[in-house]
Amino acid sequence: MFKHQLSIKIPFPEDKYAEIASRTLNVDKELKEDIIKRTITTDKNILIINFESTNAKSLRTSTQNLMELLHLITKTMNDFKEA
């Protein structure tokens, strides 16, 4: 059913930052779970995001939205790290 797949691995400087990002992103679930499936896990300091979608447009949109959230999360972590 899911024709399109994407896997993204993002390294963080420490395990705890990958875990914070994972927990934060996992709060927001996909709105159309019958069209797109997303799993977010960690392996030490690596954040692993896997997408599966029935169509390329939904995959692109979901990936873009998640990357915008991830940008905000990493910016927030950096702001608190410097404080």
Side-chain angles (χ1 to χ4, degrees), residues 7-43:
S7 182
I8 303 170
K9 295 181 180 180
I10 302 169
F12 282 84
E14 296 180 34
D15 298 5
K16 70 178 182 177
Y17 297 121
E19 188 61 38
I20 289 169
S22 173
R23 286 195 322 256
T24 305
L25 290 169
N26 273 319
V27 170
D28 292 327
K29 300 298 178 195
E30 288 294 334
L31 296 177
K32 299 178 180 178
E33 292 182 341
D34 57 323
I35 296 174
I36 188 141
K37 179 182 171 187
R38 179 184 75 201
T39 58
I40 301 171
T41 58
T42 60
D43 182 12

Side-chain angles (χ1 to χ4, degrees), residues 12-79:
F12 282 84
E14 296 180 34
D15 298 5
K16 70 178 182 177
Y17 297 121
E19 188 61 38
I20 289 169
S22 173
R23 286 195 322 256
T24 305
L25 290 169
N26 273 319
V27 170
D28 292 327
K29 300 298 178 195
E30 288 294 334
L31 296 177
K32 299 178 180 178
E33 292 182 341
D34 57 323
I35 296 174
I36 188 141
K37 179 182 171 187
R38 179 184 75 201
T39 58
I40 301 171
T41 58
T42 60
D43 182 12
K44 299 182 183 174
N45 69 317
I46 307 293
L47 178 68
I48 304 165
I49 307 164
N50 292 302
F51 294 93
E52 293 180 277
S53 180
T54 58
N55 63 71
K57 182 179 178 184
S58 294
L59 179 61
R60 185 187 73 236
T61 302
S62 183
T63 303
Q64 182 176 359
N65 292 339
L66 186 123
M67 295 308 282
E68 288 174 3
L69 285 172
L70 185 58
H71 180 272
L72 179 61
I73 291 164
T74 55
K75 184 178 178 332
T76 302
M77 284 191 288
N78 284 332
D79 289 346

